Structures are given as C-alpha cells and as structure tokens.
Amino acid sequence: MNPILLDFPDEITTKRLIIRCPRAGDGLAMHEAKTESIRQLRQFPASLPWAMHEPTADDAEIFCRQSHADFMSRSNLNMLVFLKETGQIVGASGLHRIDWEIPKFEIGYWCRTSLHGHGLITEAVSALSQFAFEHLKAKRLEIIADDLNTASWRVAEKAGFELEGILKNERSAPDGTLRNTRIYARTA
C-alpha cells in the first residue's frame, strides 16, 4: 500500500503535552524556541547540522509549512511539542528516515532550553513510540544520539530504548572533529 493512503491522527495528547503536525502560522513560536536554544543545540554540530545556520522567522515558517506537506505525503512526520496547559512550544520531535517496507522510523527531538530537565521530551518520545507501534505498525524505532549528548541519550534510555552500540568516528563536525554516535532501538 502506498503510505499516502494511510489514515492516522496528526495530534497526540499526553498528561502535559500536545504533540502535533506543524501548521502554517507555527513558525514564529518555533523560531522563538529555537533562538532561545540555539547555543545549546550548536554543541552537537555533527548530529544537528541545521542548528549551525542563523535561525530566521521565515525559515521556521517554511519548515512548518514544508513539514505539514511532508506529513500529508507520509515522507517525514515532523511534530511540534507544546505544553497542554499554556500552549508554549517545548520543542520538536517526529518520526524520520522512514522505511515503510518494514516499517521503521527514527525518532528525533530537541527541547527548548528553558524547559530542560522536566521530562517533557521523554514524555513526548514515549508517546511518539506508542503512536508508531499502534497506528503505524512500526517494527523498529531508532534514536541516534551524539555520544557526548548525555541529555539526548538519557531520554532514549528513560523512554525504554536499548543501546545497540556506539559507532566510533561515525560523524564529522564542520571543523573536522570526528564524533561517536549512539544507536538506540525499540522493536515490536
């Protein structure tokens, strides 16, 4: 079956979060969260090359609109994460590097700096995992994290992902520094 014919929700709710497909008009909120967090995101240039560019409100709006189109075509399932109580954007996550034949997905994520340490991204990753297994019939979910990004790989572990290995010198940062990459997975 062509994945564009798959029907599934574009929004997930948890106790504290709304996780949904980006929409036109979300760019400004995303830009504010990314601008606040850009210094921390730039610590991992090999894993987050998009963070190396100076963020603009237009780029964030383009990302949201393109992500909506990609979600509808089922080619990439970017999601924005919002606090349910206030509507403040927490960050972004989603299901990427999709292989519908298996099906398998990579879960990526980043968190607004001022909201680090509250378990919000772990809650989002857990909800996305459940969504992928239940609605998308996923057989494999992966999280790929820079070995030095302790916060990222701790999210994976807290969300029930198992470390499958550490790939040595797997990625190159813009300055040529080689980085190790952790591969985590959950399977059905």
Side-chain angles (χ1 to χ4, degrees):
M1 172 190 279
N2 186 323
I4 204 165
L5 296 173
L6 295 174
D7 289 323
F8 50 82
D10 65 355
E11 183 172 299
I12 304 163
T13 58
T14 69
K15 181 178 179 183
R16 301 182 292 171
L17 304 172
I18 296 171
I19 306 158
R20 66 166 172 78
C21 172
R23 300 177 186 147
D26 285 335
L28 185 58
M30 185 179 173
H31 173 68
E32 290 171 359
K34 188 175 173 185
T35 300
E36 172 189 312
S37 309
I38 200 72
R39 187 171 161 192
Q40 288 73 26
L41 295 169
R42 286 183 175 161
Q43 293 177 53
F44 308 103
S47 298
L48 304 171
W50 53 266
M52 299 303 105
H53 306 287
E54 200 56 41
T56 69
D58 282 349
D59 287 342
E61 183 64 22
I62 290 166
F63 170 84
C64 290
R65 291 174 185 223
Q66 184 62 57
S67 293
H68 186 83
D70 292 345
F71 193 96
M72 296 307 296
S73 71
R74 310 307 195 218
S75 61
N76 195 4
L77 305 177
N78 284 314
M79 305 286 268
L80 298 180
V81 181
F82 298 90
L83 289 174
K84 189 187 288 186
E85 189 173 299
T86 65
Q88 181 183 28
I89 191 167
V90 173
S93 189
L95 300 164
H96 317 293
R97 292 188 330 124
I98 298 169
D99 181 344
W100 288 108
E101 295 286 320
I102 293 177
K104 85 172 184 176
F105 308 85
E106 176 187 336
I107 298 180
Y109 45 86
W110 64 269
C111 183
R112 177 183 212 128
T113 300
S114 61
L115 295 175
H116 278 201
H118 299 285
L120 297 167
I121 293 300
T122 301
E123 186 174 325
V125 168
S126 295
L128 274 168
S129 298
Q130 182 178 351
F131 172 84
F133 286 125
E134 289 179 9
H135 292 281
L136 307 178
K137 307 303 180 215
K139 300 298 180 210
R140 179 178 174 82
L141 300 176
E142 296 177 341
I143 292 177
I144 299 171
D146 188 295
D147 190 38
L148 297 178
N149 192 344
T150 307
S152 182
W153 54 260
R154 290 236 168 101
V155 165
E157 291 173 351
K158 289 176 185 174
F161 284 72
E162 182 180 321
L163 178 64
E164 290 189 331
I166 299 174
L167 306 177
K168 305 291 185 182
N169 296 334
E170 193 267 339
R171 295 189 183 191
S172 176
D175 68 359
T177 305
L178 295 177
R179 304 296 282 255
N180 298 339
T181 302
R182 289 175 169 246
I183 307 294
Y184 287 86
R186 282 181 61 185
T187 58

